[in-house]
Amino acid sequence: MAKSTLKLIPFLLTSLTLLVSIHLINVLLLMKLNQFGILPRHSAGLYGIVLHPFLHANWQHLAQNLVSFSILVTLAWPLKPNRIIMVLLGSTLFAGCAVWLVGRESIHIGLSGAVYALWAYILVFGIFQRSIKSLAIALLVMFLYASLIWGLLPVVPGMSFETHLFGALAGGLIGYWYAKNDKKTQLQQSLRYRTEQELKR
């Protein structure tokens, strides 16, 4: 646990420094970097598939995303830290491509897609993996972030619910895949152990 904690803090600090630095540069450039967000069905908006999580409308937008991102990363960390990278990369590319294909014709920016991916990943992994640890973390996330469900709907003007929706879908699929893979591995290990015990008799 101590080893994971030592890796968690540098990861969060690096993420915080990177996102704040990019936003500061964006502010100095009068927010011109936001043109590199996702602009659906426009070739100029293809850059946003990769760049959209790093761009924010204002400091409040950035701060809200960073707080949720930090909390959810911390909660997901005990479920194997290396998987968080897969969740973040997979959700960014999947949500970015999906928003570019079917999103509203507006510039979509922000880290919230990754936040929703982490949220869905923890919940789905806990439901299907069903260990005490994963279920406890999923219940805590459900308690803390139940209100995120409203972000999947087009209820707030100017909010990219599409990014939330596709980010959550990607995170949920990744969580399901890891949970099923873990259960399969556990079953194989159990069968191997039983076989070894029978051979010793």
Side-chain angles (χ1 to χ4, degrees):
M1 178 62 72
K3 188 175 180 180
S4 293
T5 304
L6 288 173
K7 291 180 180 179
L8 169 63
I9 294 173
F11 178 81
L12 290 176
L13 287 177
T14 301
S15 301
L16 173 67
T17 301
L18 177 63
L19 288 162
V20 170
S21 298
I22 290 173
H23 188 69
L24 182 59
I25 294 170
N26 201 10
V27 169
L28 294 174
L29 294 175
L30 303 178
M31 309 307 289
K32 290 182 179 179
L33 293 182
N34 285 355
Q35 66 183 308
F36 296 108
I38 302 171
L39 184 58
R41 296 169 299 282
H42 288 262
S43 59
L46 287 169
Y47 296 106
I49 291 173
V50 174
L51 299 178
H52 75 274
F54 303 99
L55 305 171
H56 291 83
N58 50 52
W59 286 108
Q60 182 181 3
H61 185 205
L62 174 62
Q64 289 173 342
N65 280 336
L66 279 177
V67 170
S68 296
F69 176 82
S70 299
I71 292 171
L72 288 169
V73 165
T74 300
L75 291 172
W77 205 260
L79 304 177
K80 296 188 178 179
N82 61 313
R83 295 180 175 182
I84 293 174
I85 302 300
M86 178 62 73
V87 173
L88 296 177
L89 290 176
S91 64
T92 293
L93 295 176
F94 178 82
C97 290
V99 170
W100 188 86
L101 287 170
V102 302
R104 291 166 297 170
E105 193 164 335
S106 175
I107 294 179
H108 299 256
I109 56 174
L111 188 63
S112 54
V115 168
Y116 272 82
L118 288 164
W119 172 71
Y121 164 72
I122 293 170
L123 293 178
V124 173
F125 183 81
I127 291 169
F128 287 98
Q129 208 270 347
R130 293 194 295 275
S131 68
I132 294 175
K133 179 171 67 174
S134 64
L135 281 171
I137 294 172
L139 286 171
L140 180 58
V141 168
M142 193 180 298
F143 174 75
L144 291 175
Y145 286 102
S147 61
L148 285 187
I149 193 73
W150 300 111
L152 301 175
L153 303 172
V155 294
V156 179
M159 180 187 72
S160 178
F161 79 92
E162 300 98 322
T163 305
H164 300 170
L165 180 62
F166 290 120
L169 180 59
L173 289 172
I174 294 170
Y176 177 81
W177 186 84
Y178 275 128
K180 288 299 183 181
N181 189 61
D182 285 355
K183 298 290 278 188
K184 181 179 179 181
T185 301
Q186 290 169 4
L187 179 60
Q188 289 174 341
Q189 291 175 343
S190 178
L191 290 172
R192 188 181 301 116
Y193 175 78
R194 291 177 185 175
T195 302
E196 290 174 353
Q197 293 303 308
E198 290 177 359
L199 290 174
K200 290 179 181 178
R201 291 176 183 176

